[in-house]
Amino acid sequence: MDKPVIAVTMGDPSGIGPEIIAAALADPAVASLARPLVLGDRQAMERGIEAAGVSLVIESLDGTLPPAAPAPGVLYLRELSHLAAADMVYGRPTPAGGDACFRYICEAARLCLEGEAAAMATAPINKESMNSAGHHYPGHTELLAELTGTEEFVMMLAGDRLRVTLVTIHEALAKVPGLVTYEKVLSTIRITHQSLSRWFAPNPKLAVLALNPHCGEGGMFGGEESRIIAPAIEAARQEGIDAEGPLSADTLFHFAASGGYDAVVCMYHDQGLIPLKLLHFDDGVNVTLGLPIIRTSVDHGTAYNLAGTGKASAASMKAAFVMAAGMAGQGAPGRGGEEASNR
C-alpha cells in the first residue's frame, strides 16, 4: 500500500515555519514515513532551506500528489502564493502573509476532506496577520472546525510523557468559570476517550482536573467541582469511560507524567500547557481531536526573534509530522481507499 500523503502547511512566511519544515523533511527518518506535500510559497521555502542549512531540491506540483516513491532530497511543493519580498520580511507579519496562511490551511483541509491527503501537519501562523487579512479566527483550531463543519472539538497537546486536553481554549481567564459547563466537560471527556482509544491507547485512563485550588476545598474556594465537574465525570463513567476526578492540578501532574494516566482533561489553557511545555518544550505536538480529519501541529509560535537564523528547533515540527503519519497509517478519517472504508 502507498504511504499516506501528509499535507504540510508552511505557516507565516515571516516566521520560522519554512526553515523548520525544511529541517524536518531533510531528515530521511522523518520524510520517509509518508509522502509530504508542502503547501506554501516557493521563494519562502527556498529561503527556509537556505536558513536551515540543508540540501533539498524543490519540485513544484500543481494539482498532483507526490509520487508513491518520493525521491530522496526532494521537497514537493504546491505553490499557493507568490508573495512579494516586502511580505516576507522576517519578524514583520503582513495582511498578504496572513491571507496566504489562510489559503494554505484551507487547501490542506480540502485535500484531507476529499481523501487526497491522509492528514495535515501545520507550521505556526500569526493570528494578528490572518485577522488583518479579514479572516477572523482565534487560531487554526477554530478555522478547521468551521471548514469541516465540526461543532464539538478538543485541543490536545501531547508528548511522550504527558498528554493534556482542554475544556476551554483561548479565553480570558475571567470568563473561564462561566464556560466550564456540565455539557462542555462531558463532551471533552468523551472526545478525549474516543480519540485516544482510536489512535493512542485502547481503554485510556483519564484524569479530570478541578477548576479551583484544592478541588474547591469543600466549597470554600468555589463550587464548580461538586456542581459541574463531578457530575460530568460520573456520567462519563456510566458510559464506560475510565475517568477519575475532580483531581487537584497542583499534585496530579506528578502522577500523570510518571505514567499513571493516558491523558489529563484540563479546565483552561494554562492549567494544561504550563506542565506540558515544561516537559515537552521542544517536541510537543498540538492535535485537534473531534475533526473528521487528522490535524497535528507544532505547539509553539512563529518565533520571530529566531526567524532566518537557522537556530529554531525543528523537533516539534518533526514530532507533528511523525504523529500525523502514524495516525494516518491506521486508516484515518478523510483518507481515501479500502482501509478507510473498512473502519
Side-chain angles (χ1 to χ4, degrees), residues 181-251:
T181 64
Y182 170 88
E183 293 79 12
K184 184 61 175 171
V185 174
L186 180 55
S187 172
T188 304
I189 295 171
R190 283 173 174 160
I191 293 173
T192 302
H193 168 80
Q194 292 164 359
S195 299
L196 262 67
S197 296
R198 176 165 190 172
W199 287 306
F200 299 100
N203 303 314
K205 184 175 184 179
L206 308 181
V208 183
L209 294 186
L211 173 65
N212 299 297
H214 299 185
C215 297
E217 198 74 70
M220 290 178 60
F221 306 147
E224 286 85 0
E225 287 72 26
S226 60
R227 293 186 292 104
I228 296 168
I229 302 173
I233 295 170
E234 180 57 29
R237 291 181 63 85
Q238 292 296 319
E239 296 175 8
I241 298 173
D242 186 359
E244 293 184 8
L247 301 169
S248 183
D250 64 351
T251 56

Side-chain angles (χ1 to χ4, degrees), residues 2-343:
D2 291 345
K3 293 178 180 178
V5 174
I6 309 295
V8 182
T9 60
M10 191 186 77
D12 187 350
S14 300
I16 63 171
E19 61 198 86
I20 61 172
I21 290 172
L25 298 184
D27 184 343
V30 174
S32 63
L33 295 174
R35 297 153 62 197
L37 174 64
V38 178
L39 309 177
D41 189 281
R42 186 181 185 95
Q43 289 190 17
M45 284 309 307
E46 288 175 341
R47 189 174 66 167
I49 291 169
E50 182 178 358
V54 297
S55 297
L56 288 172
V57 176
I58 294 176
E59 181 174 329
S60 294
L61 300 178
D62 183 11
T64 59
L65 299 176
V74 175
L75 185 147
Y76 296 96
L77 173 70
R78 181 166 296 183
E79 297 181 55
L80 298 178
S81 66
H82 298 85
L83 294 166
D87 293 315
M88 296 191 298
V89 176
Y90 286 129
R92 298 182 185 177
T94 64
D99 183 65
C101 291
F102 176 79
R103 285 186 277 125
Y104 308 153
I105 298 165
C106 291
E107 176 67 359
R110 184 193 69 79
L111 289 170
C112 291
L113 286 169
E114 295 183 3
E116 294 185 69
M120 60 185 289
T122 59
I125 61 173
N126 179 280
K127 301 173 183 64
E128 181 183 353
S129 68
M130 197 166 75
N131 275 262
S132 70
H135 309 298
H136 302 295
Y137 300 92
H140 277 100
T141 305
E142 295 81 3
L143 170 56
L144 289 169
E146 180 177 297
L147 291 172
T148 60
T150 303
E151 294 185 3
E152 295 185 334
F153 54 88
V154 169
M155 177 186 286
M156 180 173 79
L157 284 297
D160 290 340
R161 295 184 60 192
L162 183 65
R163 300 185 188 99
V164 301
T165 61
L166 307 178
V167 172
T168 65
I169 305 178
H170 300 117
E171 303 290 350
L173 194 57
K175 294 182 180 180
V176 168
L179 296 171
V180 175
T181 64
Y182 170 88
E183 293 79 12
K184 184 61 175 171
V185 174
L186 180 55
S187 172
T188 304
I189 295 171
R190 283 173 174 160
I191 293 173
T192 302
H193 168 80
Q194 292 164 359
S195 299
L196 262 67
S197 296
R198 176 165 190 172
W199 287 306
F200 299 100
N203 303 314
K205 184 175 184 179
L206 308 181
V208 183
L209 294 186
L211 173 65
N212 299 297
H214 299 185
C215 297
E217 198 74 70
M220 290 178 60
F221 306 147
E224 286 85 0
E225 287 72 26
S226 60
R227 293 186 292 104
I228 296 168
I229 302 173
I233 295 170
E234 180 57 29
R237 291 181 63 85
Q238 292 296 319
E239 296 175 8
I241 298 173
D242 186 359
E244 293 184 8
L247 301 169
S248 183
D250 64 351
T251 56
L252 181 281
F253 285 106
H254 167 77
F255 300 101
S258 300
Y261 299 90
D262 293 300
V264 182
V265 178
C266 307
M267 295 301 115
Y268 57 95
H269 185 276
D270 284 9
Q271 188 182 53
L273 267 65
I274 289 173
L276 187 286
K277 292 193 176 186
L278 179 66
L279 295 175
H280 296 290
F281 186 79
D282 285 324
D283 64 346
V285 179
N286 182 344
V287 189
T288 307
L289 307 180
L291 300 176
I293 63 175
I294 291 172
R295 179 261 175 158
T296 67
S297 180
V298 297
D299 76 338
H300 56 72
T302 52
Y304 287 145
N305 60 313
L306 296 176
T309 67
K311 297 179 181 180
S313 171
S316 185
M317 190 73 245
K318 289 183 179 182
F321 186 85
V322 170
M323 186 175 290
M327 294 169 71
Q330 300 182 51
R335 181 180 182 185
E338 183 177 358
E339 183 178 355
S341 66
N342 288 337
R343 294 188 71 86

